[in-house]
Amino acid sequence: EKEEKMPLNPVLIPGVRKFGRSVMYRKRHLHEKKAKIDAAKSAKRVVKEAKPQVNDTTVKSKVSVCHVPSKMTRNAFRKPTHLRSSITPGTVLIVLAGRFRGRRVVFLKQLASGLLLCTGPFLLNGVPLRRFNQAYVIATSTKVDMSGYDVPKDVSDAFFAREKGTGANSLPQSKKDMQTKVDKAVMMRVSAVPLLKSYLKAKFTLRHGDQPHAMVF
């Protein structure tokens, strides 16, 4: 009588065998079989034949005929950032992010970059001339009458570029003078409205139970 061979991976209980997949991969020497198959495939690859030698004239003719890709011209242009209808010169905005989050600022104009030029004024709440992204501000219904006032043309995106040779905490005197000039015009209009000074000084905060989506700013 023939002796029954023991299986390589005996069944311990129905559905569970003694060895796992990785152990059986090694027991069956499948890694050696795979190496032999890969070697056979690599041997069957077609080796490229050596290119025949050509004279200089044919080489020159081929080089002259080869295609040289030209630079693609892009007709795309940057669209100007759309300003929300609720933001007009003189609108009081609430800053939501950054160093001055929670502060109320007065909007002056939109710069060429699409950012909003605002001021605290600095004398009231410590917010200097600064650029804000309109995605991170809330427009309130409070407005300062800025009619008849034009922001100096010098206050542009280039105004906020850091000058060479100046430290991070040092501010040129020209920028300080510009801050004083703009704040003087804004303060004159803010002082004409009762309680507006204290409103700009106060910081916007939320307390437990407040519902921002139900507030009217």
Side-chain angles (χ1 to χ4, degrees):
E1 295 182 359
K2 293 182 179 180
E3 295 181 0
E4 294 184 0
K5 292 183 179 181
M6 290 293 293
L8 287 175
N9 196 4
V11 179
L12 299 179
I13 59 174
V16 179
R17 292 186 178 271
K18 185 176 181 180
F19 302 113
R21 186 184 300 177
S22 60
V23 176
M24 291 306 300
Y25 186 86
R26 180 166 41 84
K27 276 180 167 292
R28 291 175 181 173
H29 303 282
L30 296 178
H31 58 284
E32 297 177 0
K33 295 179 181 179
K34 186 180 179 182
K36 290 181 181 179
I37 294 172
D38 292 342
K41 286 183 178 179
S42 60
K44 290 181 180 179
R45 288 177 183 171
V46 179
V47 181
K48 293 184 179 180
E49 297 179 359
K51 293 184 179 179
Q53 293 182 356
V54 294
N55 53 20
D56 296 339
T57 56
T58 56
V59 172
K60 290 181 180 179
S61 62
K62 287 183 178 180
V63 171
S64 60
V65 175
C66 67
H67 175 69
V68 179
S70 58
K71 285 187 177 181
M72 296 180 64
T73 57
R74 294 185 178 181
N75 297 326
F77 60 94
R78 186 174 180 179
K79 295 181 181 179
T81 306
H82 176 70
L83 185 64
R84 285 185 303 196
S85 58
S86 58
I87 301 177
T88 55
T91 302
V92 177
L93 308 176
I94 299 175
V95 183
L96 300 178
R99 177 184 172 187
F100 299 105
R101 60 180 177 273
R103 291 295 181 185
R104 294 179 171 92
V105 295
V106 179
F107 170 67
L108 299 177
K109 69 174 182 178
Q110 186 182 27
L111 300 175
S113 61
L115 300 176
L116 310 181
L117 176 64
C118 304
T119 183
F122 183 76
L123 295 175
L124 290 180
N125 50 26
V127 182
L129 282 170
R130 199 172 179 90
R131 297 175 295 177
F132 295 97
N133 192 323
Q134 61 178 334
Y136 300 104
V137 296
I138 296 176
T140 65
S141 57
T142 307
K143 293 183 182 295
V144 180
D145 186 13
M146 299 297 294
S147 58
Y149 175 72
D150 294 330
V151 181
K153 294 181 179 179
D154 296 339
V155 186
S156 60
D157 290 308
F159 175 80
F160 296 94
R162 184 178 298 177
E163 298 180 1
K164 293 182 179 180
T166 58
N169 298 325
S170 62
L171 193 67
Q173 187 62 36
S174 59
K175 293 187 177 181
K176 293 180 181 179
D177 296 340
M178 182 61 69
Q179 178 73 56
T180 305
K181 181 180 178 181
V182 174
D183 279 0
K184 183 179 179 180
V186 177
M187 284 294 297
M188 184 176 62
R189 289 164 172 78
V190 170
S191 302
V193 182
L195 302 179
L196 187 55
K197 280 187 178 181
S198 58
Y199 176 73
L200 292 173
K201 284 182 181 180
K203 194 174 182 180
F204 174 77
T205 55
L206 290 174
R207 297 182 179 179
H208 181 70
D210 291 343
Q211 298 178 350
H213 62 280
M215 293 181 180
V216 178
F217 296 96

